[in-house]
Amino acid sequence: MYWKNFAIEETAKMAKRLYREEREIKRLDGWFLAMETKMKNDRQYDEFSKSIKSAEDLYRIIQTIPLSVSDNNIFVGAQRDAFAMSYALINPAFTVPSFSGYCNPSDVFNDIEPNEEFSKERIEKVRHWFSLTEYAKELTKSYRKAEKFTGEVAFFIEQVTGHTICDFELALDKGLLYIIDLLESKLGDDKYSQLQKNNFKAMIISLKAALLLAERYREIVREKIKSESDPDRKNQLLAMDAALDRVPARGARNLYEAIQSYILLWQTMCLEQAPNPYAFSVGNCDRIFYKYYLMDKIPLDLATQFFKHFLVFFNVGTRSWAISQNILIGGKDNRGGDLTNELSYALLDAYYEMNLPQPILSVKIHKNTPEKLYRALGKFLFTPGCLTPSFFNDETLFTILARNGVDEDDIPAYAVAGCQEPLIMGKDNGNTTNSWLNLAKVLELTINDGKSLLSGEQIGPGYRYFKKDIGDLKEVLGDIRNMFYMNLEYYLDQMVKAANDVSRALSSLPVPFLSTFMGGAETGYDMRSADHQGTKYNGSGCLVHGLSVVGDSIIAIEEFLKQDKYAPEDLLLALKNNFRGYEDLRDLLKSYPKYGNNIAVVDDEIREIAIRVSEMIRSRKNYLGNPFRPDFSTPSTHLLYGYHVGATPDGREAREMLGYGVDPLYGEATNGFGFRMLSTYKLPFLQFNGGYASHLGVNPHYFRGKTYEEKGLEFKEKIIDTVFFSSESEENPFYLYVNVTTAETLREVLKDPKKHAPDGVYIMRIHGTFVNFLDLSPAIQEDIIKRLDEGSTRLDL
């Protein structure tokens, strides 16, 4: 029995050692080698289609890239060669004013530091080649066309590389040789066009690249077997060799082979999109692997150790640079039956014992979720410095997906791309972060005749573009809703054009390997195609910022116009001067009703804005004619985009953060958890088919259980049941993440990290992902501390 070669205690220690090895990696150069390989082979493929060229590139990368197997590996494979040290928010040098987005595709070459091997001249040669590629030229052109609007972030746009949930089920079950045979059988079928046949050929080449990857690793393992003197390690290597002889070429026969196959497929998928295919997600991991666990059942404790090594695979280099890769457990089927299984708990144990910065853990919750799962989650929620999962409410999400055209049979297979975006595994190219809308900036431009309060630049049209007979500022403010929505229509039109431009630019880089597992093996089209829909479902995401600021501001403007002390011009001057010399006026604006306190006038305003904005976004069509999807989430961009917004009529000062996701603006909800939730329940959650974000900073003092298990149940009763299931309405919240700690605790951690995090890791939620709090830049550390905001989450009222 192969699994007896893996002693539980030693396998666990090896996972810890393997992670420490990864944290010691100071350079990530593999992505550069991949780009250099593409450059060297560029002209060899001129006569080929783009998809075949991409597949040949992938094959050459896998043929030449350096590979290694650690003495602590029990599975071969690493995804580090697909990533650069680029993600700004976990870079200690990051500052909010310096961040301009990931606009220039050549900027990634700044992330490799020259040395003896990688000279500056060598780096610049590849950068120059890349800047002349069709993709780089078209993307640069797109950003230049939109820079008037993106410079101060009325909106932003992004070419979406990752943010996908692939479906490797057929490859795990039957193997790549089986899929290759299926694809080859289609090459002689006249019902397929030459374009489709070229795509099938590209998929075949890319699958053979994955087979080559396995063979190259097997050669390394065989060499190690020859020189290994320790009998226990030699037996492990023999088991690894046997697995590689089987997978991914043929179907897996047990959990060990399935995990090994999955890792190699994932590595290939990431290499295809190097550099930086952020936010790929595994999906419903406990379901994916369960059948293989049942084929040849092993001790559940050993399954936990296998999953520890699986989790280490998702951590890249010193700061776990492969951000927002998501693993889900739990959930229900269409009849309401619970889908947790033994591996759900094995995965939880692996997560808890490793406590790694990546990948994200997400848990699907429903009305029949067993108490056992809540008990198991208690240790995550109430252990300081431990990761806390995201929670998703299946009851509401099933309704949302059904209303947005997802087939009933597909709904239980929804998973989460990146932080929180619901997609159907293997069938949905949602382009989830394609566009980013800043409602607060649009309101600023509406009030100030299309000009920025910060720079004075004329960014958009003035009042009379939208309403020819508008008179003065008082008329603008008196008609603020209508004026705001007219402005928003204009900026949305500009945003959609720009977002579709960058999607078309990305289509020049086909992904035949990933497309195979996203429906392309059936359709014959690449999932990135701008002309043919290669996936069953397709859309483009729009992340909406500033909801609470705009709602609070519109109510403040209405209240302001009722008073006699100040004229409308005083309000505009106060905003232009960031309230300097207008402190009394700011106090007046701050005194008006604010969202999050269960005040009907402002809560109703927020709901109306959310509905109307969602409808406006969905009315826009992407590059394939499918609707954009409203997503009210702000992955730290509430901080970044707020920096480009002037003072607002709610009393918020210039450059201050916006509200996080759909949450109240920091400091404005002061009456505790109950009142905040009463405001939250009024939101139109069924409108948010692209997703949304909400965060609770919860003081552990409010939980009285004596054990983690008791506190887990208490968390269910006080938080989960209240947030997700307190109403019989279909329109309940469906997403939440928490940080169970206090601002004082985190300041103590920063003051004495060796005391509170002796291993150098203290996990916190940053937005939809968790990270090592000690890895974050000071600006993001402070943002997390501020948003704990106990005034809005007190449970003792």
Side-chain angles (χ1 to χ4, degrees):
M1 302 177 75
Y2 79 94
W3 54 265
K4 290 190 175 180
N5 295 329
F6 301 97
I8 289 174
E9 186 175 343
E10 179 58 23
T11 305
K13 290 178 181 178
M14 291 171 72
K16 292 280 189 180
R17 293 197 295 264
L18 190 64
Y19 175 63
R20 286 197 293 271
E21 286 179 10
E22 192 67 34
R23 292 284 290 187
E24 290 300 315
I25 295 174
K26 308 297 184 185
R27 294 183 62 93
L28 296 177
D29 300 325
W31 69 268
F32 177 80
L33 294 173
M35 298 295 284
E36 191 174 47
T37 298
K38 291 182 180 181
M39 178 191 73
K40 290 177 179 178
N41 291 285
D42 192 24
R43 293 184 180 177
Q44 294 184 31
Y45 311 128
D46 284 348
E47 74 277 17
F48 296 153
S49 69
K50 289 181 181 178
S51 60
I52 291 177
K53 180 181 183 303
S54 290
E56 292 285 0
D57 280 341
L58 177 62
Y59 195 92
R60 300 295 175 237
I61 289 167
I62 287 176
Q63 193 174 48
T64 58
I65 202 162
L67 300 176
S68 63
V69 176
S70 165
D71 290 339
N72 291 305
N73 276 127
I74 66 168
F75 302 106
V76 302
Q79 61 172 329
R80 72 179 71 95
D81 292 321
F83 289 90
M85 296 188 290
S86 294
Y87 195 67
L89 304 186
I90 55 175
N91 187 328
F94 166 80
T95 60
V96 172
S98 68
F99 184 76
S100 59
Y102 304 100
C103 302
N104 187 339
S106 297
D107 281 349
V108 68
F109 291 94
N110 298 331
D111 296 320
I112 182 168
E113 187 175 342
N115 63 8
E116 289 185 4
E117 181 180 3
F118 298 96
S119 67
K120 184 176 181 180
E121 292 74 21
R122 182 179 176 183
I123 295 168
E124 290 306 313
K125 181 179 180 181
V126 182
R127 186 205 298 262
H128 178 69
W129 163 80
F130 177 71
S131 70
L132 298 177
T133 61
E134 178 185 353
Y135 166 66
K137 289 192 291 187
E138 289 301 312
L139 194 62
T140 300
K141 186 190 302 182
S142 298
Y143 276 115
R144 284 176 179 165
K145 284 165 58 178
E147 63 186 355
K148 180 172 74 168
F149 305 108
T150 61
E152 292 190 44
V153 200
F155 61 77
F156 198 72
I157 48 173
E158 181 179 75
Q159 70 286 9
V160 185
T161 55
H163 288 266
T164 301
I165 306 113
C166 57
D167 184 359
F168 290 144
E169 183 176 1
L170 184 61
L172 296 180
D173 186 31
K174 300 292 187 181
L176 297 186
L177 293 177
Y178 175 85
I179 301 174
I180 289 171
D181 285 344
L182 288 178
L183 292 169
E184 287 180 338
S185 71
K186 296 182 178 185
L187 296 179
D189 193 329
D190 291 340
K191 76 176 182 180
Y192 296 109
S193 68
Q194 188 58 51
L195 172 64
Q196 290 170 300
K197 290 179 181 180
N198 283 341
N199 288 332
F200 289 141
K201 290 176 184 177
M203 293 173 197
I204 291 167
I205 296 167
S206 70
L207 296 181
K208 289 180 178 178
L211 295 176
L212 175 63
L213 181 65
E215 185 55 37
R216 287 194 62 202
Y217 273 121
R218 192 179 183 202
E219 290 172 2
I220 297 171
V221 169
R222 283 175 167 178
E223 288 301 312
K224 284 182 169 289
I225 290 171
K226 293 177 184 178
S227 59
E228 183 58 61
S229 59
D230 179 84
D232 291 335
R233 179 56 179 165
K234 190 164 190 173
N235 285 334
Q236 288 181 346
L237 291 167
L238 287 167
M240 294 163 70
D241 178 57
L244 291 169
D245 182 51
R246 176 79 187 181
V247 297
R250 291 175 290 279
R253 298 166 298 185
N254 52 56
L255 179 62
Y256 179 77
E257 289 181 353
I259 293 175
Q260 178 60 88
S261 184
Y262 197 98
I263 285 173
L264 292 171
L265 296 168
W266 188 281
Q267 181 176 355
T268 306
M269 175 180 69
C270 289
L271 284 171
E272 181 178 54
Q273 297 195 37
N276 298 333
Y278 292 126
F280 278 135
S281 292
V282 172
N284 302 283
C285 192
D286 48 355
R287 303 181 208 172
I288 290 170
F289 290 114
Y290 191 52
K291 66 180 286 186
Y292 303 100
Y293 169 69
L294 294 178
M295 285 179 181
D296 184 10
K297 290 193 73 170
I298 61 175
L300 198 59
D301 282 351
L302 183 57
T304 296
Q305 310 318 315
F306 287 172
F307 281 130
K308 287 180 181 179
H309 285 259
F310 185 61
L311 297 179
V312 172
F313 167 75
F314 292 92
N315 289 267
V316 170
T318 52
R319 291 177 179 267
S320 298
W321 292 99
I323 288 292
S324 294
Q325 297 180 334
N326 212 311
I327 287 177
L328 288 93
I329 66 167
K332 69 169 186 171
D333 59 26
N334 279 322
R335 298 180 300 278
D338 181 61
L339 293 176
T340 56
N341 58 50
E342 291 169 277
L343 293 192
S344 308
Y345 299 98
L347 275 160
L348 287 180
D349 287 342
Y351 262 105
Y352 184 74
E353 292 168 23
M354 294 302 291
N355 198 34
L356 305 175
Q358 293 294 325
I360 310 166
L361 171 63
S362 295
V363 180
K364 292 182 173 184
I365 300 295
H366 58 102
K367 290 180 179 178
N368 296 321
T369 294
E371 284 192 356
K372 180 182 178 182
L373 184 60
Y374 290 111
R375 289 180 181 275
L377 292 171
K379 58 191 177 187
F380 292 90
L381 296 162
F382 294 96
T383 300
C386 181
L387 61 97
T388 58
S390 295
F391 296 98
F392 292 87
N393 177 4
D394 273 5
E395 308 294 345
T396 303
L397 270 168
F398 274 42
T399 301
I400 290 173
L401 294 169
R403 290 190 179 187
N404 284 275
V406 177
D407 289 346
E408 183 179 3
D409 290 344
D410 291 336
I411 291 175
Y414 89 82
V416 177
C419 298
Q420 49 69 48
E421 305 99 294
L423 300 176
I424 305 304
M425 184 171 68
K427 298 180 179 180
D428 194 350
N429 182 18
N431 298 286
T432 60
T433 58
N434 186 209
S435 59
W436 311 64
L437 177 62
N438 192 342
L439 298 179
K441 190 69 181 181
V442 173
L443 180 66
E444 171 192 323
L445 298 172
T446 301
I447 293 171
N448 197 36
D449 206 21
K451 295 186 287 291
S452 167
L453 289 171
L454 298 175
S455 66
E457 182 181 350
Q458 188 77 43
I459 292 175
Y463 305 143
R464 289 175 178 81
Y465 175 89
F466 300 102
K467 197 172 181 180
K468 291 181 179 179
D469 60 347
I470 200 79
D472 54 16
L473 180 62
K474 184 174 183 180
E475 284 190 36
V476 173
L477 297 180
D479 193 25
I480 190 61
R481 287 185 187 82
N482 190 36
M483 292 295 294
F484 170 72
Y485 289 119
M486 285 192 291
N487 272 265
L488 185 57
E489 292 277 6
Y490 170 82
Y491 290 105
L492 275 174
D493 287 342
Q494 304 304 315
M495 182 196 76
V496 166
K497 291 175 187 175
N500 287 338
D501 279 349
V502 298
S503 293
R504 292 187 184 97
L506 187 64
S507 72
S508 68
L509 296 179
V511 282
F513 183 82
L514 178 57
S515 296
T516 305
F517 304 102
M518 293 294 296
E522 290 76 40
T523 67
Y525 296 120
D526 191 86
M527 67 173 289
R528 287 181 172 176
S529 171
D531 302 308
H532 303 278
Q533 186 167 318
T535 55
K536 183 174 182 178
Y537 307 107
N538 173 276
S540 290
C542 177
L543 283 74
V544 184
H545 297 63
L547 175 63
S548 59
V549 167
V550 170
D552 288 350
S553 292
I554 287 176
I555 295 303
I557 289 171
E558 284 197 327
E559 294 297 319
F560 172 83
L561 292 176
K562 295 176 184 176
Q563 56 79 47
D564 298 323
K565 183 177 180 181
Y566 299 101
E569 290 73 21
D570 293 324
L571 175 60
L572 184 56
L573 284 171
L575 298 179
K576 287 181 175 179
N577 288 281
N578 198 23
F579 299 113
R580 302 300 178 260
Y582 294 87
E583 287 78 8
D584 290 346
L585 175 51
R586 183 184 184 226
D587 289 342
L588 178 65
L589 297 171
K590 296 278 286 183
S591 73
Y592 295 142
K594 298 293 187 287
Y595 173 63
N597 297 291
N598 193 32
I599 301 172
V601 63
V602 67
D603 292 352
D604 292 345
E605 187 69 39
I606 293 283
R607 177 180 173 83
E608 179 59 28
I609 294 169
I611 291 173
R612 191 157 177 183
V613 169
S614 297
E615 290 174 344
M616 292 167 72
I617 290 169
R618 267 195 301 276
S619 73
R620 267 62 184 184
K621 298 298 187 287
N622 76 354
Y623 57 99
L624 287 174
N626 296 311
F628 275 73
R629 300 174 182 177
D631 177 355
F632 283 74
S633 65
T634 58
S636 294
T637 38
H638 68 288
L639 186 69
L640 305 173
Y641 293 1
Y643 180 79
H644 293 287
V645 177
T648 43
D650 58 342
R652 172 193 153 277
E653 292 189 337
R655 300 197 184 280
E656 288 295 312
M657 70 168 69
L658 305 175
Y660 175 78
V662 297
D663 292 344
L665 183 63
Y666 162 74
E668 298 294 4
T670 58
N671 294 323
F673 179 67
F675 281 85
R676 174 174 165 180
M677 288 314 303
L678 288 171
S679 290
T680 299
Y681 294 149
K682 299 170 189 174
L683 289 170
F685 291 101
L686 296 183
Q687 296 279 345
F688 304 158
N689 60 303
Y692 76 95
S694 182
H695 166 246
L696 293 178
V698 181
N699 191 329
H701 169 77
Y702 297 123
F703 297 84
R704 309 299 185 187
K706 294 181 180 179
T707 65
Y708 287 140
E709 291 79 7
E710 290 174 0
K711 288 182 178 180
L713 282 179
E714 196 176 353
F715 184 86
K716 169 193 179 294
E717 295 161 2
K718 289 182 175 178
I719 303 295
I720 294 296
D721 286 351
T722 302
V723 174
F724 285 169
F725 307 128
S726 61
S727 168
E728 292 302 315
S729 167
E730 290 182 319
E731 201 167 48
N732 280 320
F734 61 84
Y735 170 71
L736 176 70
Y737 83 84
V738 298
N739 279 308
V740 186
T741 188
T742 65
E744 293 75 17
T745 298
L746 294 188
R747 295 199 188 281
E748 283 297 317
V749 170
L750 292 177
K751 184 178 178 182
D752 192 355
K754 290 185 178 180
K755 174 183 176 181
H756 298 281
D759 61 353
V761 176
Y762 195 93
I763 304 297
M764 289 291 296
R765 299 303 300 237
I766 180 176
H767 38 76
T769 186
F770 42 74
V771 292
N772 183 7
F773 185 62
L774 302 176
D775 282 346
L776 297 174
S777 69
I780 303 302
Q781 289 171 337
E782 185 60 28
D783 174 53
I784 289 175
I785 290 171
K786 285 181 73 172
R787 286 193 294 112
L788 291 174
D789 192 13
E790 193 172 342
S792 72
T793 56
R794 293 198 312 275
L795 299 175
D796 58 351
L797 295 175

